[in-house]
Amino acid sequence: MLTEKQIQERRLGIGGSDTHHLLNERPYGCQRSLWYDKRGTEPDYPLITTGIMERGNDLELFVAKFYRKSTGRMIRRHQTRVHSKYDWARANVDRQIIGVKDKDGPGILECKTSGREMFYKIKSEGLPIGYLLQLQWYLWITGYSWGSYAILWPDAWYPDGFLYFDYDRDDELIALLEEAGSRFWRAVENGPTPGRLDPGDKRCSKCSFRTQCQGLALLQSVESNGEIDVDNSIKDTVELVVEAKELQAEAALLLKNRKSELMDLVGSRQAVDCDGYRVHAKPIVANRFNTKLFKSEHPDDYEQYLAESVSRPLKIYAK
């Protein structure tokens, strides 16, 4: 959890972890939310530090250790840096990489931990754009030409749960970040307030400033039959359902990517054996009833065969 001193220091400028907000980058970025934060606006819902967040901070030493073990590179702690031209452009770097013969000068090391789903997503798709923006921000401020990301999935530990990636400086992306950062900091000091996201955007549902930013717009699309009961005894279970839905979405994406990867390996073969498994990929031809076509060509018959059904879809809205 951040101390009051750390919170005040973060409000002195824009750090690497803020960069996804500058570009409204999904899944969490929002300029307006960052603007509220940098101006010291009191949040509607204070950010709660979770055990996962604390674990990431505590395990940084191990991530750095495993990076050094995997690469043989020398690393050391790095002080907070401020850009030579802009005092609002700040970099709180995890580590500095030194003495790498095939690299041009020192590099930046960022250490992250992740859950299982995110680990495999990164392994198959590469780093999220927010991570890449953060690294380029640090390369801009320090003037370095390259950097690394080290990722640890703690449950699998080292080496099965460890990945690292090297990236070179991208001056085109850095120019974009410099422009966005300059424009944003002018707004922090003098206004105007950045525009709102659409109130239906998922990013708004968990934002600490959602009430003062969006007001009742977050609930205007929700139909209600009369008064709504207030029952805080369901809150813990609601949060468990929301968390499970997010995990389900991540797992579904992971499964889709893995199956696509496997189909590429199988190719045109209809069955393949490997140790412990047999994979079938035979074409299946199915005949399905075209409901849309039948409705358009025989509307009276379609209505005749409709049967009423009652359901209670469970929908959860943040407010």
Side-chain angles (χ1 to χ4, degrees), residues 31-263:
Q31 263 197 38
R32 191 179 177 97
S33 174
L34 184 64
W35 185 86
Y36 282 129
D37 180 53
K38 296 303 180 184
R39 289 173 65 92
T41 305
E42 189 68 25
D44 306 311
Y45 302 90
L47 178 65
I48 299 174
T49 302
T50 65
I52 295 296
M53 295 167 65
E54 293 283 2
R55 183 183 72 173
N57 293 331
D58 292 341
L59 291 179
E60 181 184 308
L61 284 171
F62 288 96
V63 182
K65 173 184 175 181
F66 296 150
Y67 178 81
R68 187 171 63 248
K69 185 175 181 179
S70 295
T71 64
R73 295 168 176 172
M74 296 291 294
I75 59 175
R76 64 187 179 190
R77 292 188 177 275
H78 195 278
Q79 74 277 14
T80 298
R81 295 280 291 272
V82 179
H83 195 276
S84 58
K85 181 179 178 182
Y86 307 106
D87 59 4
W88 47 261
R90 308 172 69 83
N92 188 18
V93 176
D94 289 340
R95 297 289 189 280
Q96 182 190 51
I97 312 168
I98 57 175
V100 182
K101 293 181 179 179
D102 59 344
K103 296 291 187 181
D104 182 16
I108 294 296
L109 173 63
E110 276 300 295
C111 303
K112 300 286 186 183
T113 59
S114 75
R116 181 182 188 278
E117 290 78 13
M118 179 56 73
F119 179 82
Y120 280 110
K121 185 177 181 182
I122 291 174
K123 190 173 183 178
S124 62
E125 300 178 10
L127 291 177
I129 183 63
Y131 287 10
L132 299 176
L133 292 175
Q134 183 176 4
L135 183 61
Q136 293 300 324
W137 184 265
Y138 292 158
L139 295 179
W140 171 50
I141 291 173
T142 60
Y144 295 170
S145 64
W146 70 283
S148 286
Y149 251 101
I151 313 292
L152 176 67
W153 170 28
D155 292 349
W157 208 238
Y158 182 86
D160 295 338
F162 182 76
L163 300 168
Y164 77 90
F165 305 84
D166 286 348
Y167 286 92
D168 292 329
R169 181 186 178 97
D170 184 335
D171 287 321
E172 184 175 343
L173 183 54
I174 285 174
L176 178 65
L177 288 170
E178 180 180 4
E179 179 183 359
S182 300
R183 184 170 59 249
F184 175 79
W185 199 252
R186 286 196 298 270
V188 169
E189 294 181 327
N190 305 306
T193 309
R196 296 180 178 87
L197 299 176
D198 186 282
D201 195 298
K202 290 182 178 180
R203 286 170 285 187
C204 296
S205 65
K206 293 185 177 181
C207 177
S208 296
F209 304 99
R210 58 185 179 267
T211 299
Q212 59 189 298
C213 175
Q214 296 287 10
L216 294 177
L218 284 173
L219 296 178
Q220 284 178 346
S221 61
V222 182
E223 295 182 0
S224 169
N225 296 318
E227 295 184 1
I228 299 178
D229 289 340
V230 176
D231 182 359
N232 285 322
S233 68
I234 71 171
K235 183 175 183 292
D236 289 345
T237 305
V238 169
E239 291 179 343
L240 288 173
V241 171
V242 171
E243 182 182 5
K245 288 179 68 177
E246 292 175 349
L247 290 173
Q248 181 186 44
E250 290 182 3
L253 179 60
L254 177 63
L255 177 60
K256 178 182 177 182
N257 291 336
R258 289 301 185 196
K259 290 176 72 173
S260 176
E261 180 182 345
L262 181 57
M263 286 297 290

